[in-house]
Amino acid sequence: MVTFSHTDRGTAESAWAAAGLSSAPDLPLDGNELARMGFVILAAHPDDETLGAGGLAATLSGLGAAVEVLLCTAGEGSHPESPSHTPGRLAAVRLEEFGHGLAALGLEGRWRFLGLPDRGLGLHAEAIAGAVREAAERLAASPEGPRRLVLVAPYRADGHADHDALGAVAAGVAASDGHGLLEYPIWYWHWAGPEHSGWRDWVKLHLGPAARQAKDRAMTAHGSQVRPLSPAPGDETLLSEDFLHHFARGYEMFAWTPPRTAGDRPHRSGEAEQIFDAVHRRAEDPWDYASSWYEQRKRSLTLAVLSRESYPAGLEVGCSIGMLTAELATRCGSLLALDASGVAVDRAGQRLGHLGHVRVDRMVVPGSWPDGTFDLVVLSEVGYYLPGDELAALWDRVEATLRPGGTLLLCHWRHPVDGWELDGETVHARARERLGWQPAGLYRERDFILEALVAPEVLPAAEPGTE
């Protein structure tokens, strides 16, 4: 457990800014997606929701999204030495402030108070989980069909016991029930520093002017926390101006776990042939590869990330109808393109039949794998169609196949992928962790992540008698 006090000097906001916090990737959900989801926002104490996710709450309100806020405690323990306020009186003040704060965020009346004791949430995990599930059930119903749900909760390693306990409960419910999870840090910005690596995997939500103004108004409503209760010792301001600077950014930061379809069994690679045969039978070009500017632009960026002008031998896993294959062929002396769908392979073969140095085969990876070695291996929009154990086996295949100094090129959609175990960011993170190869290029935007990793060169053998 991290030990800190709100009176500590803490990490300056300028240090976080200098570390490049603002260059974090955007949350991979646009306004239309946010509007179609349901959100359960969890707060351990009044003002947590405003500090960590007030801009998100105001944004969701403006989009007309389904939102419910669960407040666990009244925060009656914020001033334990106060000579002017008993815990009961302070609880009443803070609950009133909470209501005004939510009204400023556009969520008036859309909250429930659980009445749990301040500084004691770790003892009430079962009650909290039950309340979260009840709220999720209320929000899931929609005339258009069940909504995908996202839990918004304090970061489970925030360093405050109540925050950590609430975050852990939310993470457990999200994982077991298939909900998305947005974890917002609060005290982390105070006690941690840029040398802590966790924040480098987080995402940011840009706040428009209306959301920023609403957050400012909501924060002002929490007068017992941002102003002294009285001039007497023990009634000092709890949240200093330096601390509040962390929450005056034009964006909010979250640890993001995409939602899953509750109860779905992750597909195995052996099912891929039937699944993607059906997809390709429904349309000649099921993902609009030929006509979509998004797809055309993504292919151009994919080719641009390749640092070498040409590769003697290339392998593409998951070629679909061969649109990217045709462009990779201009950079490869020979190119083998694979897909699990026989229908896709037939169409790719027709498209690429005039290219004598390109071969297209049906193969279900990683259970099957081509012979030989390659200078370039391309995995585009493939990794999240494998369960975790098969993805790990895929990296073993790639490592055994790629020649020293060769390039592994990865490109994946960053949005949630319904019915599958993994998402694009997880695929790339596991590749980096498993292979440990030198990065040669990284590009990330709201919709996709594109990355090149280079296999190590073979070191020359040491001469006898040397180390």
Side-chain angles (χ1 to χ4, degrees):
M1 171 66 70
V2 175
T3 301
F4 68 92
S5 169
H6 71 279
T7 59
D8 294 342
R9 182 176 180 182
T11 303
E13 175 60 16
S14 58
W16 288 109
L21 197 66
S22 63
S23 63
D26 292 333
L27 174 68
L29 297 171
D30 59 28
N32 289 330
E33 290 171 300
L34 293 172
R36 292 195 300 268
M37 290 178 164
F39 293 83
V40 181
I41 301 178
L42 304 170
H45 319 98
D47 79 5
D48 290 346
E49 76 302 323
T50 299
L51 288 166
L56 169 67
T59 299
L60 295 176
S61 173
L63 292 169
V67 180
E68 184 171 325
V69 182
L70 297 182
L71 174 63
C72 293
T73 84
E76 66 274 11
S78 67
H79 290 76
E81 306 299 325
S82 173
S84 62
H85 285 63
T86 64
R89 180 181 176 189
L90 188 55
V93 168
R94 296 201 67 186
L95 286 175
E96 183 178 7
E97 292 173 347
F98 183 78
H100 291 320
L102 284 195
L105 298 174
L107 297 177
E108 183 174 10
R110 295 164 70 177
W111 60 280
R112 293 172 184 252
F113 177 46
L114 303 189
L116 300 175
D118 193 2
R119 303 186 180 186
L121 292 187
L123 300 176
H124 298 276
E126 186 175 345
I128 296 169
V132 171
R133 288 193 165 99
E134 289 174 5
E137 185 176 351
R138 288 190 291 270
L139 292 181
S142 167
E144 293 78 29
R147 293 187 181 96
R148 286 189 301 175
L149 298 179
V150 176
L151 309 184
V152 184
Y155 179 45
R156 69 190 100 165
D158 197 45
H160 185 297
D162 278 350
H163 294 189
D164 295 357
L166 182 56
V169 171
V173 173
S176 63
D177 295 4
H179 305 319
L181 179 65
L182 282 168
E183 299 177 68
Y184 57 85
I186 295 179
W187 289 107
Y188 177 90
W189 303 121
H190 179 68
W191 62 260
E195 70 277 6
H196 290 255
S197 60
W199 65 272
R200 296 187 182 277
D201 293 326
W202 296 350
V203 299
K204 70 176 186 293
L205 174 70
H206 175 75
L207 305 181
R212 294 184 67 176
Q213 292 167 12
K215 181 172 181 173
D216 289 344
R217 291 194 300 271
M219 202 63 240
T220 300
H222 292 281
S224 67
Q225 307 302 295
V226 299
R227 295 183 292 276
L229 294 178
S230 82
D235 278 352
E236 296 86 357
T237 300
L238 183 67
L239 305 179
S240 69
E241 288 188 12
D242 286 344
F243 177 74
L244 292 174
H245 285 163
H246 299 309
F247 307 97
R249 304 165 182 151
Y251 54 90
E252 290 175 338
M253 296 289 295
F254 299 93
W256 165 235
T257 304
R260 298 284 173 260
T261 303
D264 258 10
R265 173 181 62 83
H267 297 294
R268 309 299 296 180
S269 62
E271 302 172 70
E273 179 181 7
Q274 294 180 352
I275 293 170
F276 290 105
D277 271 351
V279 169
H280 285 92
R281 286 193 185 101
R282 286 197 294 267
E284 289 289 323
D285 185 359
W287 287 283
D288 296 323
Y289 289 129
S291 59
S292 165
W293 169 243
Y294 166 79
E295 292 293 345
Q296 296 173 38
R297 176 174 167 272
K298 187 174 65 171
R299 287 196 297 273
S300 297
L301 288 167
T302 299
L303 272 291
V305 164
L306 295 175
S307 58
R308 290 165 54 178
E309 183 178 1
S310 62
Y311 298 83
L315 169 66
E316 181 191 9
V317 179
C319 66
S320 186
I321 61 174
M323 294 298 295
L324 177 60
T325 317
E327 299 191 35
L328 289 171
T330 66
R331 304 281 290 275
C332 296
S334 66
L335 178 60
L336 172 60
L338 308 176
D339 202 278
S341 166
V343 176
V345 166
D346 288 345
R347 292 182 186 162
Q350 295 171 13
R351 172 171 280 104
L352 305 166
H354 64 288
L355 299 176
H357 66 299
V358 176
R359 181 163 59 94
V360 184
D361 282 345
R362 190 189 74 79
M363 190 172 292
V364 179
V365 302
S368 300
W369 196 257
D371 296 329
T373 57
F374 303 89
D375 305 280
L376 172 66
V377 175
V378 177
L379 299 171
S380 181
E381 314 290 5
V382 172
Y384 32 58
Y385 296 131
L386 299 175
D389 59 334
E390 294 189 5
L391 184 68
L394 179 64
W395 304 138
D396 292 341
R397 294 285 202 180
V398 170
E399 187 174 41
T401 293
L402 201 60
R403 295 169 184 165
T407 298
L408 170 63
L409 185 63
L410 304 169
C411 184
H412 290 85
W413 177 249
R414 293 186 61 230
H415 297 252
V417 185
D418 285 340
W420 302 91
E421 178 183 348
L422 304 176
D423 60 271
E425 290 284 356
T426 301
V427 169
H428 285 238
R430 292 189 181 183
R432 292 190 293 268
E433 180 181 359
R434 163 63 183 82
L435 297 171
W437 289 350
Q438 182 72 26
L442 173 64
Y443 176 80
R444 184 193 273 113
E445 60 180 53
R446 181 184 297 275
D447 291 327
F448 66 91
I449 177 173
L450 177 59
E451 187 167 9
L453 302 173
V454 176
E457 299 279 2
V458 175
L459 296 176
E463 296 182 4
T466 64
E467 294 185 357

